[in-house]
Amino acid sequence: MGKIQTADIRGRALNLKGIRRAFLCLFLVTANAAFAADSVPGKAAIASAHYLATEAGHEILAQGGNAFDAAIAVSSTLAVVEPTSSGIGGGAFWLIHRAEDGFETMIDAREQAPGAAHKDMYLDAEGNVVRDLAVNGPLAGGIPGEIAGLEHLANNYGRLPLAVSLQPAIRIAREGFAVDEKFHELMNYRFKTIKRWPAAAEAYLADGEMPPVGHIIKLPDLAWVLENVAERGAEGFYSGPVAELMVKGVRDAGGIWTMEDLAAYAVKERDPIRTMYGDYELISAPPPSSGGVAIAEILNILEPYPINDLPPVLRTHLIVEAMRRAYRDRAIYLGDPDFVDVPVDMLTSQYYADGLRASIRPDRATPSSMLAGNDQIPEGTDTTHFSIIDAEGNMVAATLTVNTPFGSCFMPPGTGFVVNNEMDDFSAKEGEPNAYGLIGFAANEIQPYKRPLSSMTPTFMLGADKRAVIGTPGGSRIITMVLLGILDFMRGNEPESWVSLPRFHHQYVPDKISAEPGAFTPEQVEALRVMGHEVEVRNSTWGNMHGAMWNLETGKVSAGSDPRTASGRAIVR
Ligand code: GLY
């Protein structure tokens, strides 16, 4: 291990890199068009966080729907059976690839700040952040985007009417679903807060007590809301009786939403972040997500290294140093691109990555305090992700959220869904950590109608031989989980491996590597410590990754669901 090896690797790789990139880009554009016309997977893969959602997606495919219709069915079913993680009171990013012409876009249905929101809305008279207001109850909620996104998917990319694709969710909301271990665990975590809001307590608890595993929850109010949407499209949510219930419920409980805020909500299509890594094109979430920019920056830093062939300690060290630098930039530069100039081209350029790489010592950790920038950051637990490849080669990588478990825990009476607490993804005060310990500055301060910065990273890796769909929940750790999954894909491994492998993470501050059990041997931990890294080996795991892959050479379609959560399911049929 050491300087000579790394310097040698760097020199060789950099000489060829520019020429190789240009060639690969040209080749992939041509190859994508050719494969779009000539080759289809023939089978469909869906991997999601709940078996009922995966089955709902396949049900809609069997009715003649495509991946985009299936994405509506999976999203809306997750909104019913996994309210811990996403829902129609929250938002989402759907990254899509259309097989017939190779078109890619990201549908941004992120929540946005209400019109009466302002920079200091969570500060008390002394200027301190009131965490309870930012995280619990109606003031924590941004204007939800998921329903607008589902309608946009149906109208612009689907083959079936929205009303058809919503049917599995409506049926399950009426007939009920069983509380699983994850629901139970996260309800335990949020129990006291749920009890503060009578409609949420009524909907989810068993006579005011913790619902046991196996308890059946029926959500007739949510079924009614979804039926309104099935009949009237997004208007059935953003105007009329459902909107009136939302606004009244929120305002009666101290929130600031208005009918005008709901009417003003609009989906945005965003050009994805793209970069080449090896023989593959990375396509990922652009701002207002930080995910694509950060992954591109990390991969650009790592590209000259034969990273998967390096000794494990050097490999980990270089990955961690790249993570550290990308998270520093996340805190400083990223925010809603409709409100701030995000220097995406600079952050994702090779020249910038070359400069950052030059500051990495192969034998020593760089203390985060030595990088220009600032403070704190820890972990994250919720949100949800699913991956779809349909039989025609259409693909969806979707990450959806209500932010922390059960969002704000506030349910407007009569609606059957909880309001997100996505406002906490803004920086409530410069340098002050949010629920995930993430810090931010002016780029991510609260402004009316602005969208809070996200870490959600729905991603494709496209090559001439393989196509991968990947993503996960996990707050600030989403980006590093997706990165490790991509590196495992680059080793030639299947989705089951990407979703299972032990994870490690570094996010600039706090200045430490956290690791899942089994990520490192005791000797590797010691070697990293000798290099100057603080290493925290935790006794818990994180994330809930669901991925899918199409191997164009063998024709095999495969999928994997994270074994860390029992209710997830990957089905190819
Ligand atoms: N609420 C988590 C995220 O968007 O990153």
Side-chain angles (χ1 to χ4, degrees):
M1 180 180 93
K3 291 174 190 164
I4 295 171
Q5 182 187 12
T6 314
D8 181 46
I9 291 159
R10 195 181 291 171
R12 270 187 294 144
L14 281 176
N15 288 340
L16 295 171
K17 190 169 162 64
I19 303 166
R20 213 166 119 255
R21 278 175 98 76
F23 172 76
L24 278 171
C25 271
L26 187 65
F27 174 72
L28 269 180
V29 169
T30 318
N32 279 343
F35 282 128
D38 297 343
S39 177
V40 294
K43 284 188 172 180
I46 304 180
S48 87
H50 202 288
Y51 63 95
L52 289 173
T54 298
E55 286 293 1
H58 276 292
E59 178 183 327
I60 289 304
L61 290 177
Q63 288 181 34
N66 60 18
F68 314 120
D69 300 305
I72 295 168
V74 175
S75 304
S76 52
T77 302
L78 288 171
V80 176
V81 300
E82 204 199 21
T84 53
S85 307
S86 74
I88 63 173
F93 296 140
W94 293 272
L95 182 68
I96 68 170
H97 167 91
R98 188 168 57 199
E100 66 185 28
D101 57 0
F103 172 74
E104 280 116 14
T105 189
M106 190 186 83
I107 297 167
D108 167 5
R110 182 80 166 153
E111 300 88 336
Q112 74 184 20
H118 59 91
K119 185 172 165 291
D120 298 331
M121 63 188 278
Y122 299 114
L123 302 187
D124 65 14
E126 279 76 49
N128 299 314
V129 177
V130 183
R131 298 294 313 148
D132 187 53
L133 288 181
V135 175
N136 301 320
L139 199 62
I143 301 301
E146 181 165 329
I147 288 292
L150 295 180
E151 180 186 62
H152 188 87
L153 263 173
N155 290 352
N156 295 281
Y157 300 101
R159 200 170 280 155
L160 300 177
L162 177 63
V164 171
S165 303
L166 289 177
Q167 284 313 308
I170 293 171
R171 186 180 69 231
I172 295 165
R174 284 219 176 278
E175 292 177 0
F177 62 94
V179 167
D180 60 22
E181 278 160 17
K182 182 185 170 201
F183 188 109
H184 189 264
E185 182 189 326
L186 294 176
M187 177 57 81
N188 202 19
Y189 169 63
R190 293 293 261 160
F191 182 62
K192 278 193 190 141
T193 314
I194 289 276
K195 283 197 84 147
R196 284 166 60 182
W197 311 107
E202 170 78 24
Y204 298 139
L205 302 182
D207 295 326
E209 299 303 324
M210 274 291 298
V213 171
H215 173 77
I216 301 295
I217 292 181
K218 296 183 182 179
L219 298 168
D221 289 343
L222 181 54
W224 170 76
V225 171
L226 290 170
E227 279 160 357
N228 266 270
V229 176
E231 272 169 33
R232 297 181 51 218
E235 280 202 4
F237 183 83
Y238 292 96
S239 66
V242 173
E244 282 158 18
L245 277 180
M246 280 194 277
V247 169
K248 178 168 174 13
V250 162
R251 296 186 77 87
D252 283 354
I256 55 174
W257 292 8
T258 64
M259 292 297 280
E260 292 71 34
D261 289 338
L262 289 170
Y265 188 86
V267 162
K268 309 201 178 184
E269 286 206 12
R270 313 258 186 201
D271 283 338
I273 298 294
R274 295 170 187 273
T275 195
M276 293 302 298
Y277 184 66
D279 293 346
Y280 295 88
E281 186 179 20
L282 168 104
I283 299 175
S284 192
S289 175
S290 56
V293 170
I295 293 261
E297 192 174 322
I298 293 169
L299 291 177
N300 286 341
I301 293 171
L302 295 180
E303 189 167 16
Y305 307 119
I307 199 77
N308 281 334
D309 298 329
L310 295 177
V313 171
L314 178 59
R315 176 180 187 272
T316 303
H317 167 70
L318 294 173
I319 292 171
V320 163
E321 291 303 320
M323 289 174 176
R324 181 199 307 279
R325 286 156 175 79
Y327 275 82
R328 191 272 315 252
D329 287 345
R330 181 196 192 280
I332 294 172
Y333 295 113
L334 292 184
D336 182 342
D338 295 337
F339 285 73
V340 289
D341 283 333
V342 181
V344 171
D345 289 345
M346 175 193 91
L347 294 172
T348 59
S349 85
Q350 267 305 325
Y351 296 111
Y352 186 67
D354 293 346
L356 292 177
R357 193 184 313 107
S359 70
I360 298 175
R361 276 183 62 165
D363 58 344
R364 285 302 291 172
T366 311
S368 289
S369 57
M370 282 183 61
L371 296 176
N374 272 310
D375 272 283
Q376 294 250 5
I377 313 184
E379 72 180 304
T381 44
D382 241 87
T383 298
T384 195
H385 175 87
F386 64 84
S387 296
I388 301 181
I389 300 174
D390 72 14
E392 298 157 41
N394 297 305
M395 306 194 302
V396 180
T399 314
L400 307 90
T401 189
V402 285
N403 200 23
T404 61
F406 292 98
S408 68
C409 293
F410 172 74
M411 181 180 285
T415 64
F417 63 86
V418 283
V419 165
N420 68 84
N421 58 358
E422 221 69 52
M423 293 293 284
D424 190 53
D425 272 350
F426 281 117
S427 171
K429 182 179 177 181
E430 288 210 347
E432 185 88 6
N434 71 0
Y436 298 113
L438 287 163
I439 54 163
F441 298 92
N444 192 32
E445 73 183 13
I446 302 170
Q447 287 177 252
Y449 307 116
K450 189 177 177 183
R451 298 184 182 199
L453 184 61
S454 172
S455 299
M456 298 193 292
T457 314
T459 295
F460 301 141
M461 291 293 281
L462 302 190
D465 60 343
K466 283 182 201 148
R467 295 184 176 186
V469 187
I470 187 169
T472 181
S476 61
R477 292 164 189 248
I478 291 174
I479 297 166
T480 57
M481 285 186 262
V482 172
L483 173 78
L484 296 180
I486 289 172
L487 295 179
D488 198 49
F489 161 77
M490 298 298 291
R491 278 191 206 272
N493 288 334
E494 294 274 330
E496 276 192 6
S497 170
W498 322 336
V499 302
S500 310
L501 56 88
R503 295 166 178 147
F504 61 90
H505 173 78
H506 192 293
Q507 58 180 41
Y508 170 53
V509 282
D511 189 351
K512 68 177 173 198
I513 301 172
S514 51
E516 286 187 328
F520 306 129
T521 64
E523 295 74 25
Q524 287 165 354
V525 170
E526 191 47 36
L528 288 164
R529 286 185 178 142
V530 168
M531 295 172 96
H533 292 285
E534 182 182 335
V535 184
E536 176 193 48
V537 180
R538 304 169 65 119
N539 52 19
S540 58
T541 59
W542 60 82
N544 194 10
M545 180 175 281
H546 305 279
M549 188 171 86
W550 172 24
N551 185 325
L552 290 100
E553 287 178 341
T554 64
K556 183 177 172 192
V557 179
S558 51
S561 266
D562 203 314
R564 291 165 183 80
T565 310
S567 43
R569 194 64 46 91
I571 298 176
V572 178
R573 77 166 62 117

